[in-house]
Amino acid sequence: MQKQVDQQVDAAPAWLTWPVRAIAVVVVLPFRLLWEAMKVVGRFLDRYLLAPLAWLWRHLVVIPVAWLGRMVVTLLRILIGVPAAWLWREVLLPVFRAFWRWVLRPVFAGIAAAVSFVIEWVVAPVARFLYRWVLAPVGRALVWFLTAGWEGTAWLGRQVYRFLLRPLGIAVAWVWRHTFGALFRGIAWVWGATVSPAARWVRDEILRPAADAARSVLVAVGLRR
């Protein structure tokens, strides 16, 4: 790319080439020199400052701290872990096992035996007695009472219907048929024999001809078609 630019610059006229070269030297060359100087300084710092500092950090800080941490862990394991493990294995665990074997397990076994004894010899007999002599008789009496009450109620209902409601209904029907029923039938007969024929005569002989005459007058005067 640079060669193509140089060739294009060489192919340009001389009066244009020299100003371009001067501008390039004045503008580009300082930045190029600054970049090269920064690279040289970076390599120098990396080689003679950063690398030694990293080596010193690793060998004076990281490695000693790691070794010290391993030593502390080993020391704690030797001073605390081993005695604690021995204390748990040789003292606490046998004590706990003996306490469970000779204290807790007998106590739990005694409690279980006492509860079983109370259930078997106190609770169960009392429950059987209550069921046999209280709950079962009360239940049977309640069932008998409900059954007898239902049957008695049904029998009483049948007797009331048979000897009271049914005769009363028959009597009311007979009275209605021979009093109000006869009266309403007489009124209907009189109405059909007098009012209905008169109403039909008035409709056919008076109202309908009057309506036809009025319609003819309205059509004659042009008020209705």
Side-chain angles (χ1 to χ4, degrees):
M1 185 66 182
Q2 185 65 31
K3 291 181 178 179
Q4 293 178 358
V5 173
D6 294 339
Q7 291 176 0
Q8 292 177 0
V9 172
D10 293 337
W15 61 270
L16 182 61
T17 302
W18 287 103
V20 171
R21 291 180 180 274
I23 293 173
V25 170
V26 172
V27 175
V28 177
L29 184 59
F31 290 100
R32 182 61 179 273
L33 293 176
L34 179 61
W35 175 252
E36 294 296 333
M38 291 176 63
K39 291 199 298 183
V40 172
V41 172
R43 287 195 294 269
F44 176 82
L45 293 176
D46 180 66
R47 183 174 182 180
Y48 296 101
L49 182 61
L50 297 180
L53 289 177
W55 185 88
L56 292 174
W57 173 261
R58 177 177 175 79
H59 289 83
L60 296 180
V61 177
V62 177
I63 295 177
V65 169
W67 178 83
L68 182 61
R70 289 193 296 271
M71 292 298 296
V72 170
V73 172
T74 304
L75 185 63
L76 291 177
R77 185 170 63 249
I78 294 173
L79 296 179
I80 298 177
V82 174
W86 179 87
L87 180 64
W88 169 257
R89 185 176 59 254
E90 301 297 335
V91 178
L92 297 179
L93 188 58
V95 171
F96 290 155
R97 288 176 178 172
F99 186 72
W100 165 256
R101 182 177 182 181
W102 301 106
V103 177
L104 295 181
R105 190 165 64 181
V107 169
F108 290 154
I111 293 175
V115 172
S116 177
F117 176 81
V118 170
I119 292 176
E120 183 177 359
W121 297 100
V122 177
V123 177
V126 171
R128 287 193 296 269
F129 175 81
L130 290 177
Y131 174 78
R132 183 176 181 181
W133 300 103
V134 177
L135 296 179
V138 169
R140 288 192 294 269
L142 182 61
V143 171
W144 179 86
F145 178 76
L146 293 176
T147 304
W150 176 259
E151 292 178 354
T153 303
W155 180 85
L156 181 61
R158 289 193 300 270
Q159 302 307 316
V160 170
Y161 172 77
R162 181 178 180 181
F163 295 104
L164 180 62
L165 297 180
R166 187 171 181 273
L168 182 62
I170 294 174
V172 170
W174 186 87
V175 171
W176 176 267
R177 185 169 58 253
H178 291 84
T179 57
F180 293 99
L183 178 62
F184 289 153
R185 287 194 299 272
I187 293 174
W189 182 85
V190 171
W191 181 272
T194 58
V195 178
S196 294
R200 285 195 297 271
W201 182 84
V202 171
R203 182 193 62 189
D204 295 335
E205 300 298 332
I206 298 176
L207 297 179
R208 185 173 293 172
D212 295 337
R215 187 181 303 108
S216 300
V217 172
L218 293 176
V219 170
V221 297
L223 297 178
R224 185 177 179 179
R225 295 180 182 181

